[in-house]
Amino acid sequence: MWDKLKTHHEAVKSRRFETLVDADRAQGFAAQTGDMRLDYSKTNIDADGRALLIDLLDQSGVAAKRDAMFGGAAINETEGRAVLHTALRNLDGGPVMVDGQDVMPGVLDTLNRMEAFAEDVRAGVFTGQGGKITDVINIGIGGSDLGPAMGVLALRPYHDGPRCHFVSNVDPADIADTLRACDPATTLVIVASKTFTTIETMTNARTAKAWMGEAVADPAAQFAALSTAEDKTSDFGIPATRVFGFEDWVGGRYSMWGPIGLSMMIAIGADGFRAFLRGGQDMDRHFQAADWADNMPAMLALVGIWHNQICGYATRAVLPYDNNLSRLPAYLQQLEMESNGKGVSMDGAELSVNSGPVVWGEPGTNGQHAFYQLIHQGTRVIPCEFLVAARGHEDDLHHQHQLLVANCLAQSEALMKGRDLDEARSKVADKFEGDELERQAHHRVFKGNRPSTTLAYPTLDPFTLGQIIALYEHRVFVEGVVLGINSYDQWGVELGKELATALQPIVEGADAAGKDGSTAGLVSFLHSHGL
């Protein structure tokens, strides 16, 4: 099937796909669930190409693997685990079985405990040793940071709880800057580490505890933990009533739906967080029920496969025209690149096609004045994924939101249409002539024919955010199944951690014998400058 797709691409790659985009295509090359719409008409995928891509889903067994995932099967084969972040948002569904046990009672019990604690913090029932909690600091890394940090920012218009801060980097500047802005007597610290051993997280947690201990009698009384290691959280001084655990069938980068989302819940309230969960559940149901051609996660995945594995476009730009989604590109970097950044298939054989793309981006319109130059006129084609809401939250500035939307739609149109040499000449014909006119005109040519998708929705509320995150999670799943890889392990992060542990004594002054010349030389240089 890969060969058929590549043959089809060879036959159509030189055409201007702008010629395909009429009203019928705009309707037929889109997927919708509720009030959310994915438009993928501004790509070079035609009906024949889409049929071949859908055949790829069927030949890869995506439907069966999808059902196995939702059913609690151990689809994370290298670690022998189920993949059930979907259970965390299964508010209205039936039992979910893992090894013969229904996990939903435990999921819902933890959710209820989280809600009770979050509302106590918000209402001032749970207080600091100096009064009502004014600030919450979430200390985590990876998915324990990127998910809630992105979500809290995305839902900023819905905040009516304490201020939320996020610390992830072991660089002391990160936590020092955060602590400086908070009062230790009215701050709640949430330590997010499943094992309670993550070195960066626990280093920052101890720093925060020492800072708090300088101002209050019992610093641990203002800590909560998102962890399954109750022995370690107890040793830290955190009672079981403030420890919220999650099972090993929830991966870190898929964990914001459960206890890792506690900071979000404190910020927007239990009802708002449940709306977020219901948005994810809504996308789950759509993914399970919709035909492939109308299935939003499946088609988003197939567009990505077409661009990366077939067309050879190595990167993907995520461009939310929604400033509150400014952390979404970073969140998706981890979600996609850690999940599908693999080199071998399930059986351990090397992949015959490229794995996942490089994912990056920034909010519009900021990016238009930064890297869009490369997107429009650079030598490499960069598929773009735009996100835009019909309405913002600033009703008195709706005209400004309309300008934002106009910019978003104009960028995808410009990427598709471009500007040919004749039009470029006409732009400067009144200023130049002869050879100089030709030279100046060439600088103003936009080749166009550059693909994009647009995800449109009414407004960015908790329900919609849930839909968006679940959409991208399922996109990662589909791409992983088609590639034949395990999207749910992350062995690629292990080697650097192991080497860092071995290097720490050398950095602290031990003999560097046995290290390569470059590493030993860098340690020596840094020691000579105060390390």
Side-chain angles (χ1 to χ4, degrees):
M1 185 54 64
W2 292 114
D3 290 339
K4 288 183 179 179
L5 279 163
K6 289 177 180 178
T7 298
H8 181 69
H9 172 244
E10 283 297 318
V12 303
K13 68 179 183 180
S14 61
R15 73 180 169 197
R16 303 287 300 187
F17 63 78
E18 175 189 358
T19 62
L20 304 175
V21 183
D22 57 16
D24 289 340
R25 179 176 171 85
Q27 291 300 314
F29 283 72
Q32 190 161 333
T33 178
D35 293 329
M36 179 172 286
R37 181 178 182 85
L38 172 68
D39 180 299
Y40 59 95
S41 62
K42 292 187 180 77
T43 69
N44 201 16
I45 299 172
D46 56 21
D48 291 339
R50 181 169 63 184
L52 289 171
L53 287 165
I54 289 174
D55 284 346
L56 200 59
L57 298 182
D58 294 333
Q59 291 186 14
S60 303
V62 171
K65 202 69 173 281
R66 174 194 62 196
D67 294 344
M69 176 180 70
F70 279 97
I75 67 167
N76 178 352
E77 296 179 16
T78 57
E79 296 180 302
R81 296 174 180 171
V83 176
L84 275 179
H85 48 278
T86 54
L88 300 178
R89 53 194 188 234
N90 180 38
L91 298 183
D92 304 315
V96 177
M97 309 302 291
V98 177
D99 297 329
Q101 297 292 318
D102 181 9
V103 303
M104 287 310 303
V107 167
L108 296 176
D109 177 67
T110 299
L111 178 61
N112 290 334
R113 289 181 58 235
M114 287 171 59
E115 290 178 336
F117 179 67
E119 291 304 321
D120 280 353
V121 171
R122 289 162 53 83
V125 175
F126 176 90
T127 65
Q129 289 155 81
K132 187 175 181 179
I133 296 296
T134 57
D135 294 88
V136 175
I137 301 174
N138 185 94
I139 298 177
I141 199 166
S144 299
D145 169 78
L146 285 166
M150 179 274 298
V152 166
L153 178 57
L155 299 177
R156 183 165 47 189
Y158 299 89
H159 289 196
D160 56 2
R163 295 181 294 269
C164 290
H165 313 268
F166 296 87
V167 172
S168 58
N169 202 324
V170 77
D171 182 340
D174 191 9
I175 191 162
D177 289 346
T178 301
L179 297 180
R180 198 174 292 121
C182 298
D183 179 353
T186 58
T187 295
L188 169 68
V189 177
I190 299 172
V191 184
S193 172
K194 184 183 291 187
T195 63
F196 227 62
T197 60
T198 309
I199 189 168
E200 299 93 340
T201 299
M202 297 315 301
T203 299
N204 281 323
R206 287 188 289 270
T207 297
K209 190 176 182 183
W211 163 79
M212 193 171 285
E214 293 177 357
V216 302
D218 183 7
Q222 290 174 217
F223 274 69
L226 314 179
S227 176
T228 56
E230 286 196 13
D231 56 337
K232 293 182 174 63
T233 58
S234 178
D235 290 344
F236 197 85
I238 304 173
T241 54
R242 295 201 304 277
V243 177
F244 305 91
F246 50 103
E247 302 295 335
D248 63 5
W249 36 257
V250 178
R253 57 192 176 278
Y254 297 89
S255 62
M256 65 184 295
W257 309 98
I260 294 298
L262 181 60
S263 55
M264 284 179 60
M265 186 184 284
I266 292 173
I268 66 173
D271 289 345
F273 193 79
R274 283 207 175 225
F276 168 69
L277 297 180
R278 290 191 186 281
Q281 178 183 253
D282 181 79
M283 187 59 68
D284 291 344
R285 291 176 171 177
H286 168 75
F287 179 47
Q288 291 175 284
D291 293 338
W292 289 138
D294 301 314
N295 192 301
M296 195 178 291
M299 292 314 306
L300 187 60
L302 291 179
V303 171
I305 288 168
W306 172 260
H307 289 150
N308 183 18
Q309 282 78 23
I310 305 304
C311 301
Y313 306 146
T315 77
R316 174 187 297 158
V318 178
L319 307 169
Y321 276 69
D322 202 320
N323 198 59
N324 289 334
L325 285 176
S326 61
R327 293 291 290 164
L328 181 67
Y331 174 79
L332 294 180
Q333 276 182 345
Q334 188 201 24
L335 179 66
E336 300 199 38
M337 294 172 69
E338 193 165 87
S339 295
N340 289 344
K342 311 294 170 59
V344 297
S345 60
M346 285 286 201
D347 62 5
E350 290 191 7
L351 292 182
S352 60
V353 294
N354 287 325
S355 58
V358 175
V359 178
W360 59 284
E362 280 285 329
T365 57
N366 292 2
Q368 293 176 199
H369 297 268
F371 52 78
Y372 276 44
Q373 169 65 47
L374 178 71
I375 291 176
H376 281 291
Q377 290 188 308
T379 57
R380 296 179 179 88
V381 174
I382 300 169
C384 295
E385 297 183 355
F386 296 95
L387 296 92
V388 66
R391 301 185 308 277
H393 294 92
E394 297 75 24
D395 291 341
D396 57 334
L397 295 175
H398 185 62
H399 66 287
Q400 193 162 326
H401 183 77
Q402 290 174 324
L403 175 61
L404 177 76
V405 172
N407 271 274
C408 177
L409 300 181
Q411 291 299 326
S412 64
E413 183 181 15
L415 286 166
M416 176 179 67
K417 289 185 173 181
R419 176 190 290 159
D420 64 21
L421 184 58
D422 287 341
E423 186 180 357
R425 284 195 196 97
S426 70
K427 292 287 184 181
V428 291
D430 60 335
K431 298 178 181 178
F432 306 102
E433 59 184 20
D435 290 345
E436 184 60 13
L437 172 60
E438 289 302 296
R439 187 178 76 86
Q440 292 284 350
H442 274 87
H443 282 285
R444 290 161 173 79
V445 169
F446 292 69
K447 290 184 178 180
N449 220 32
R450 302 194 171 199
S452 67
T453 62
T454 300
L455 184 68
Y457 43 89
T459 195
L460 185 63
D461 57 19
F463 184 89
T464 300
L465 180 66
Q467 288 180 302
I468 292 171
I469 302 308
L471 166 65
Y472 277 93
E473 288 178 347
H474 293 321
R475 185 248 197 101
V476 165
F477 165 82
V478 172
E479 290 189 356
V481 173
V482 170
L483 293 172
I485 62 178
N486 183 4
S487 300
Y488 301 103
D489 62 14
Q490 53 278 332
W491 303 114
V493 306
E494 296 300 320
L495 180 57
K497 289 182 178 180
E498 294 171 9
L499 293 177
T501 300
L503 264 169
Q504 187 170 355
I506 296 172
V507 169
E508 293 172 351
D511 189 356
K515 281 296 173 185
D516 65 88
S518 173
T519 302
L522 287 167
V523 169
S524 176
F525 173 83
L526 292 169
H527 276 151
S528 71
H529 287 273
L531 178 64

